[in-house]
Amino acid sequence: MTPQTPRSDIGYELLMKIQEGAMAYSYRGLPLLKNPFDLAIYSMLLERARPRTLVEVGSYMGGSAVWFADQAGLLGLGTKVLSIDLEVPATEANASVRFLRGDARELWEVLPPSVMSALPRPLMVVEDSSHLSGTTAAVLEFFDPWLRPGEYIVIEDGILSDMRVADLYDGGPLRAIEEFLAQRPGRYEVDRGLCDYFGRNVTWNVDGYLRRM
Ligand SMILES: C[S@@+](CC[C@H](N)C(=O)[O-])C[C@H]1O[C@@H](n2cnc3c(N)ncnc32)[C@H](O)[C@@H]1O
């Protein structure tokens, strides 16, 4: 089932205008495909969750990995960022970032148990790859056994449903989130304080800030 009812207070017309800006945004000369709401929410989350490892799935040109590492550095967290994509970007803007070639649907290839079990904790995961519901589901299922209580996995771009294009993504991230949570009652909490910080789901990560209980 594809979620159809709008989830965000933003409203379609304004949403599409902000999206235009977000898709053109850059940071330190690199495209950074995020909107002002989530940049602000992520800053708060980093400060709160204090991850020592941040795994990002979907690097694009590396702008978000560099931004996460810079923000964590300002907070003195000593966070290492591992950013995974089918293609590895060239940037070396922050030495705390390591780019790895890998497929979101086969994360065990790039993150085998020997690597996962050695990651400094807390761990934070950001899934921002293809947004096909099957890919999002694969990322959720891969990290589920590894996440510890209090750690976060952020599923980006559930907003595609409000943008009325989720059908192009087989239901998109929201479908994957809903099916994943329904199969694991009580194991995760949607952090409503983050999702609804600027208004109900005034975030691209609609119902997507998930905290392991
Ligand atoms: C939306 S962009 C990432 C944007 C970036 N995180 C940012 O905020 O600037 C999506 C990225 O996911 C990658 N991608 C798509 N399918 C993937 C897959 N199956 N495994 C890994 N990466 C994938 C694409 O190559 C693309 O670079």
Side-chain angles (χ1 to χ4, degrees), residues 53-93:
T53 305
L54 191 154
V55 177
E56 174 187 63
V57 187
S59 320
Y60 189 45
M61 304 298 278
S64 50
V66 169
W67 184 86
F68 281 126
D70 285 358
Q71 294 298 310
L74 289 170
L75 293 167
L77 302 180
T79 308
K80 298 282 179 221
V81 176
L82 297 180
S83 184
I84 297 165
D85 203 297
L86 299 169
E87 300 294 331
V88 171
T91 177
E92 293 178 356

Side-chain angles (χ1 to χ4, degrees), residues 46-205:
L46 287 171
E47 196 166 0
R48 181 187 302 176
R50 308 184 78 76
R52 298 208 42 234
T53 305
L54 191 154
V55 177
E56 174 187 63
V57 187
S59 320
Y60 189 45
M61 304 298 278
S64 50
V66 169
W67 184 86
F68 281 126
D70 285 358
Q71 294 298 310
L74 289 170
L75 293 167
L77 302 180
T79 308
K80 298 282 179 221
V81 176
L82 297 180
S83 184
I84 297 165
D85 203 297
L86 299 169
E87 300 294 331
V88 171
T91 177
E92 293 178 356
N94 187 310
S96 299
V97 181
R98 198 163 149 226
F99 292 104
L100 302 169
R101 189 182 310 277
D103 190 325
R105 297 158 298 187
E106 298 176 347
L107 284 170
W108 58 88
E109 299 276 358
V110 61
L111 298 174
S114 56
V115 172
M116 286 302 298
S117 55
L119 293 178
R121 310 300 279 247
L123 168 65
M124 181 170 144
V125 180
V126 176
E127 149 57 8
D128 189 22
S129 61
S130 76
H131 307 316
L132 289 164
S133 62
T135 308
T136 309
V139 173
L140 279 163
E141 277 156 29
F142 175 81
F143 285 105
D144 177 46
W146 292 105
L147 287 163
R148 297 177 185 167
E151 293 181 331
Y152 279 78
I153 179 164
V154 182
I155 303 301
E156 293 226 348
D157 289 323
I159 199 71
L160 292 173
S161 298
D162 280 44
M163 290 179 180
R164 305 172 185 167
V165 294
D167 283 350
L168 303 177
Y169 298 83
D170 195 24
L174 260 189
R175 175 183 168 190
I177 292 171
E178 289 183 356
E179 291 178 356
F180 177 80
L181 294 181
Q183 288 158 7
R184 293 163 183 79
R187 196 166 157 86
Y188 292 85
E189 166 190 72
V190 176
D191 189 328
R192 296 253 58 97
L194 294 177
C195 291
D196 301 339
Y197 190 83
F198 293 106
R200 187 184 57 115
N201 272 318
V202 176
T203 165
W204 266 227
N205 309 333

